[in-house]
Amino acid sequence: MIFLGDMTLLKYDITVEDTGETFVCHENEFILNAMLRRGNGPISHGCCGGGCGVCKMRIVSGLVFIEKRMSAEHITREERENGIALLCCVKPRSDIVLTRVTTTHELQRANPLTAINGGALKL
Amino acid sequence: MALNKLLRPGLIQLRVLDLDKTLNFYKNILGLDEVCRTSDGRVCLKTYDEFDHHSVTLRLADTAGFDYAAFKVDSPETLEEMKEKTIKFGYAVDEVPANSNQPGFGKRYGFTICTGHRFEIYCDVELAEKGPQIKNPDIWTTPPRGMRAIRLDHFLLYGPNIEEAERFCKEVFGMYSPEVCNLPDGKRLATWLTSSNKPHDFAFVEYDKPGKIHHIGFYLENWTDVGNAADWMAIHRLKRDIGPTRHAITRGQTIYFWEPSGNRIEVYSGGYTAYPDNPLRIWDSDMLWRGLFYYEGEMLPSFLEIVT
Ligand code: FES
Ligand SMILES: [Fe+2]
């Protein structure tokens, strides 16, 4: 038996517009997993399940496949139509350019947790 | 273990985004048994060591998170008494008829507290067909699977005005706080509440958005089983938040991670024995990290802010 490993998988470049960073994501990998695995990109935490909304970003260009359901609390229909997605739910089908959007978390900066967290959640 | 008339959190209903994948996690990785399905497609589950009909219900929805939690009380008299006290406290109470939307459960009274969470109380529930043995009992009937969860232990809820919520739990449910965390101005940031000798049956953190859940805690037998749970997480690539580590608060040995729909789960063992007459333990908010993650002693930004 010959193992082809990931040689048979298509690889795409994911570029984060805000920082200019680029990382590779396989066609069968969720973009957030690739970002966490490579340790670059603006997101360092999250549920990886489509539930918490931390990994919300705008897909400026490129095609993705939405494999997992994204919580309606974090992605409205309109946002979805405008290319906003939860990165833990989508896989690339081309090279992708991403940019940051305001997440529900950043809107909650007024809560007391922020004071002790120092607003340190890297999003 | 109950000391008081409120026995325990007996049931939690959660919203999930992918029923098949998430159910597979609860059954084959966490180790719960599927008890039944409802006519509207929800799935009822329990641990191998729980006696009552079921303790976790999963509902497919377009958001993840908390639908409600139900607490078992010791008698029909307590049930009526707590219902009256709840109304007097100022929350509107509704009645869910026996054997309606939760198979096996008797009549429940439900109400929404100030934090935006729906709580229910009940005193009757059928015993599960597949419960622990009671006559010269063996420790299990079929070998516990996966992480070998023993019981639904506790949950942490996020919402506004936890000072009122704490007062409700004390005045109506007869619970007590073994531990609290205060902000520099003396306001509550977090409170742990119990009705038993467990360090907590649930806890609250002050948060501006109502009705949020931080995690659901399942009890494991010991530190070795916490390690076993970590192995299962790694093998199945479940996203871990923190652990294995130790809490100074509650003293539990713990791991936090996320199930496939993004609800945070804690697997937890140990913990001190709480008594209502013990002095209250008080944490300053700038020491909270040490209380939460005793070994690390430092902040984990994802931990406090990510909720469903
Ligand atoms: S990481 Fe939670 S929704 Fe993507
Ligand atoms: Fe917990």
PDB file of all heavy atoms in Angstrom, chain B residues 72-73 76 79 104-108 122-126:
ATOM      1  N   LYS B  72     -34.713  18.855  40.504  1.00  0.00           N
ATOM      2  CA  LYS B  72     -35.588  17.931  41.217  1.00  0.00           C
ATOM      3  C   LYS B  72     -35.684  18.363  42.672  1.00  0.00           C
ATOM      4  O   LYS B  72     -34.649  18.652  43.297  1.00  0.00           O
ATOM      5  CB  LYS B  72     -35.043  16.513  41.119  1.00  0.00           C
ATOM      6  CG  LYS B  72     -36.036  15.464  41.613  1.00  0.00           C
ATOM      7  CD  LYS B  72     -35.469  14.064  41.427  1.00  0.00           C
ATOM      8  CE  LYS B  72     -36.532  13.012  41.759  1.00  0.00           C
ATOM      9  NZ  LYS B  72     -35.982  11.640  41.662  1.00  0.00           N
ATOM     10  N   VAL B  73     -36.899  18.408  43.188  1.00  0.00           N
ATOM     11  CA  VAL B  73     -37.092  18.726  44.602  1.00  0.00           C
ATOM     12  C   VAL B  73     -37.635  17.483  45.319  1.00  0.00           C
ATOM     13  O   VAL B  73     -38.046  16.520  44.679  1.00  0.00           O
ATOM     14  CB  VAL B  73     -38.041  19.944  44.797  1.00  0.00           C
ATOM     15  CG1 VAL B  73     -37.490  21.159  44.063  1.00  0.00           C
ATOM     16  CG2 VAL B  73     -39.459  19.634  44.346  1.00  0.00           C
ATOM     17  N   PRO B  76     -43.865  16.666  46.632  1.00  0.00           N
ATOM     18  CA  PRO B  76     -44.905  17.516  46.027  1.00  0.00           C
ATOM     19  C   PRO B  76     -45.149  18.779  46.861  1.00  0.00           C
ATOM     20  O   PRO B  76     -45.434  19.844  46.307  1.00  0.00           O
ATOM     21  CB  PRO B  76     -46.151  16.622  46.021  1.00  0.00           C
ATOM     22  CG  PRO B  76     -45.637  15.219  46.122  1.00  0.00           C
ATOM     23  CD  PRO B  76     -44.347  15.292  46.891  1.00  0.00           C
ATOM     24  N   LEU B  79     -42.539  21.244  46.026  1.00  0.00           N
ATOM     25  CA  LEU B  79     -42.783  21.755  44.681  1.00  0.00           C
ATOM     26  C   LEU B  79     -43.784  22.921  44.730  1.00  0.00           C
ATOM     27  O   LEU B  79     -43.537  23.990  44.155  1.00  0.00           O
ATOM     28  CB  LEU B  79     -43.310  20.616  43.797  1.00  0.00           C
ATOM     29  CG  LEU B  79     -43.493  20.938  42.316  1.00  0.00           C
ATOM     30  CD1 LEU B  79     -42.152  21.201  41.644  1.00  0.00           C
ATOM     31  CD2 LEU B  79     -44.218  19.790  41.597  1.00  0.00           C
ATOM     32  N   GLY B 104     -41.217  10.812  30.651  1.00  0.00           N
ATOM     33  CA  GLY B 104     -40.854  10.270  31.964  1.00  0.00           C
ATOM     34  C   GLY B 104     -40.917  11.271  33.101  1.00  0.00           C
ATOM     35  O   GLY B 104     -40.869  10.900  34.264  1.00  0.00           O
ATOM     36  N   PHE B 105     -41.018  12.557  32.778  1.00  0.00           N
ATOM     37  CA  PHE B 105     -41.025  13.580  33.825  1.00  0.00           C
ATOM     38  C   PHE B 105     -42.448  13.932  34.234  1.00  0.00           C
ATOM     39  O   PHE B 105     -43.338  14.046  33.399  1.00  0.00           O
ATOM     40  CB  PHE B 105     -40.313  14.864  33.351  1.00  0.00           C
ATOM     41  CG  PHE B 105     -38.817  14.776  33.476  1.00  0.00           C
ATOM     42  CD1 PHE B 105     -38.086  13.966  32.618  1.00  0.00           C
ATOM     43  CD2 PHE B 105     -38.140  15.483  34.465  1.00  0.00           C
ATOM     44  CE1 PHE B 105     -36.702  13.856  32.730  1.00  0.00           C
ATOM     45  CE2 PHE B 105     -36.759  15.394  34.595  1.00  0.00           C
ATOM     46  CZ  PHE B 105     -36.041  14.575  33.727  1.00  0.00           C
ATOM     47  N   GLY B 106     -42.649  14.101  35.539  1.00  0.00           N
ATOM     48  CA  GLY B 106     -43.916  14.582  36.066  1.00  0.00           C
ATOM     49  C   GLY B 106     -44.086  16.065  35.783  1.00  0.00           C
ATOM     50  O   GLY B 106     -43.266  16.683  35.084  1.00  0.00           O
ATOM     51  N   LYS B 107     -45.146  16.628  36.364  1.00  0.00           N
ATOM     52  CA  LYS B 107     -45.442  18.057  36.189  1.00  0.00           C
ATOM     53  C   LYS B 107     -44.236  18.920  36.563  1.00  0.00           C
ATOM     54  O   LYS B 107     -43.550  18.663  37.546  1.00  0.00           O
ATOM     55  CB  LYS B 107     -46.623  18.392  37.110  1.00  0.00           C
ATOM     56  CG  LYS B 107     -46.925  19.853  37.243  1.00  0.00           C
ATOM     57  CD  LYS B 107     -48.132  20.063  38.129  1.00  0.00           C
ATOM     58  CE  LYS B 107     -47.775  19.912  39.614  1.00  0.00           C
ATOM     59  NZ  LYS B 107     -48.928  20.143  40.493  1.00  0.00           N
ATOM     60  N   ARG B 108     -43.977  19.934  35.733  1.00  0.00           N
ATOM     61  CA  ARG B 108     -42.891  20.865  36.046  1.00  0.00           C
ATOM     62  C   ARG B 108     -43.438  22.282  36.110  1.00  0.00           C
ATOM     63  O   ARG B 108     -44.350  22.624  35.361  1.00  0.00           O
ATOM     64  CB  ARG B 108     -41.793  20.813  34.969  1.00  0.00           C
ATOM     65  CG  ARG B 108     -40.925  19.584  35.060  1.00  0.00           C
ATOM     66  CD  ARG B 108     -40.463  18.989  33.746  1.00  0.00           C
ATOM     67  NE  ARG B 108     -40.100  19.904  32.706  1.00  0.00           N
ATOM     68  CZ  ARG B 108     -40.424  19.723  31.418  1.00  0.00           C
ATOM     69  NH1 ARG B 108     -41.159  18.675  31.049  1.00  0.00           N
ATOM     70  NH2 ARG B 108     -40.045  20.584  30.521  1.00  0.00           N
ATOM     71  N   TYR B 122     -39.381  20.165  39.551  1.00  0.00           N
ATOM     72  CA  TYR B 122     -40.270  18.998  39.470  1.00  0.00           C
ATOM     73  C   TYR B 122     -39.938  18.088  40.639  1.00  0.00           C
ATOM     74  O   TYR B 122     -38.851  18.185  41.236  1.00  0.00           O
ATOM     75  CB  TYR B 122     -40.083  18.246  38.135  1.00  0.00           C
ATOM     76  CG  TYR B 122     -38.695  17.668  37.958  1.00  0.00           C
ATOM     77  CD1 TYR B 122     -38.410  16.334  38.287  1.00  0.00           C
ATOM     78  CD2 TYR B 122     -37.646  18.469  37.488  1.00  0.00           C
ATOM     79  CE1 TYR B 122     -37.117  15.815  38.151  1.00  0.00           C
ATOM     80  CE2 TYR B 122     -36.355  17.956  37.361  1.00  0.00           C
ATOM     81  CZ  TYR B 122     -36.098  16.639  37.692  1.00  0.00           C
ATOM     82  OH  TYR B 122     -34.822  16.126  37.566  1.00  0.00           O
ATOM     83  N   CYS B 123     -40.883  17.206  40.992  1.00  0.00           N
ATOM     84  CA  CYS B 123     -40.554  16.261  42.057  1.00  0.00           C
ATOM     85  C   CYS B 123     -40.685  14.816  41.589  1.00  0.00           C
ATOM     86  O   CYS B 123     -40.158  13.909  42.226  1.00  0.00           O
ATOM     87  CB  CYS B 123     -41.409  16.499  43.293  1.00  0.00           C
ATOM     88  SG  CYS B 123     -43.175  16.305  43.003  1.00  0.00           S
ATOM     89  N   ASP B 124     -41.415  14.603  40.481  1.00  0.00           N
ATOM     90  CA  ASP B 124     -41.628  13.234  40.003  1.00  0.00           C
ATOM     91  C   ASP B 124     -40.913  13.007  38.698  1.00  0.00           C
ATOM     92  O   ASP B 124     -41.043  13.818  37.773  1.00  0.00           O
ATOM     93  CB  ASP B 124     -43.121  12.994  39.738  1.00  0.00           C
ATOM     94  CG  ASP B 124     -43.871  12.695  41.010  1.00  0.00           C
ATOM     95  OD1 ASP B 124     -43.260  12.083  41.906  1.00  0.00           O
ATOM     96  OD2 ASP B 124     -45.050  13.075  41.093  1.00  0.00           O
ATOM     97  N   VAL B 125     -40.212  11.911  38.628  1.00  0.00           N
ATOM     98  CA  VAL B 125     -39.645  11.478  37.356  1.00  0.00           C
ATOM     99  C   VAL B 125     -39.513   9.969  37.435  1.00  0.00           C
ATOM    100  O   VAL B 125     -39.208   9.414  38.501  1.00  0.00           O
ATOM    101  CB  VAL B 125     -38.298  12.185  37.063  1.00  0.00           C
ATOM    102  CG1 VAL B 125     -37.288  11.972  38.162  1.00  0.00           C
ATOM    103  CG2 VAL B 125     -37.723  11.769  35.714  1.00  0.00           C
ATOM    104  N   GLU B 126     -39.802   9.299  36.335  1.00  0.00           N
ATOM    105  CA  GLU B 126     -39.684   7.837  36.337  1.00  0.00           C
ATOM    106  C   GLU B 126     -38.224   7.435  36.471  1.00  0.00           C
ATOM    107  O   GLU B 126     -37.336   8.160  36.037  1.00  0.00           O
ATOM    108  CB  GLU B 126     -40.216   7.264  35.011  1.00  0.00           C
ATOM    109  CG  GLU B 126     -41.714   7.354  34.872  1.00  0.00           C
ATOM    110  CD  GLU B 126     -42.170   7.039  33.444  1.00  0.00           C
ATOM    111  OE1 GLU B 126     -41.408   6.384  32.694  1.00  0.00           O
ATOM    112  OE2 GLU B 126     -43.280   7.478  33.096  1.00  0.00           O
TER     113      GLU B 126
END
